[in-house]
Amino acid sequence: QVQLVESGGGLVQPGGSLRLSCAASGSLFRTSAMGWYRQAPGKQRELVATISSVGNTNYTDSAKGRFTISRANFQNTVFLQMNSLKPEDTAVYYCRLSRGGVDYWGKGTLVTVSS
């Protein structure tokens, strides 16, 4: 069984930065693709960024140039560094672990970008 716990969310002013973390339990992390998703109020959950087990990354257009996804296999942790935050980045951010056709999700961490 895999458990994912996100942290690092909070209130930040426009233009500010946050670093989200997602810690995974179990032994699947090192061989699994990881992803960050977000869900804004009244909207569907959407992809933000992914990173493969070997470190290949992919970003949505809204995240390119501002967000960086990375992973530390020795810590079983994936990160999302978010810079130049905008009010439209306000959402609950979720971590996902994908392996063998099975997805595991964390409970999310709230990011609010507001002055």
Side-chain angles (χ1 to χ4, degrees):
Q1 186 68 18
V2 175
Q3 290 187 329
L4 302 172
V5 180
E6 302 95 335
S7 61
L11 174 64
V12 63
Q13 291 186 343
S17 298
L18 281 176
R19 188 191 196 206
L20 306 184
S21 300
C22 171
S25 65
S27 59
L28 297 181
F29 180 85
R30 297 188 180 207
T31 56
S32 300
M34 301 296 299
W36 283 99
Y37 291 72
R38 68 186 182 187
Q39 187 167 15
K43 295 187 177 182
Q44 290 187 334
R45 191 173 298 187
E46 63 177 5
L47 172 69
V48 176
T50 61
I51 185 166
S52 72
S53 61
V54 295
N56 297 319
T57 59
N58 183 54
Y59 298 91
T60 59
D61 287 344
S62 63
K64 286 179 182 177
R66 300 190 300 129
F67 295 1
T68 302
I69 188 171
S70 61
R71 62 191 297 158
N73 286 342
F74 70 100
Q75 292 180 317
N76 273 19
T77 302
V78 62
F79 304 97
L80 185 69
Q81 177 67 43
M82 304 187 295
N83 300 326
S84 303
L85 283 162
K86 306 174 182 179
E88 51 264 43
D89 294 318
T90 294
V92 178
Y93 283 71
Y94 297 90
C95 171
R96 186 185 84 170
L97 182 150
S98 300
R99 191 172 187 276
V102 180
D103 293 333
Y104 301 88
W105 293 90
K107 294 183 179 181
T109 185
L110 176 63
V111 172
T112 303
V113 184
S114 175
S115 55

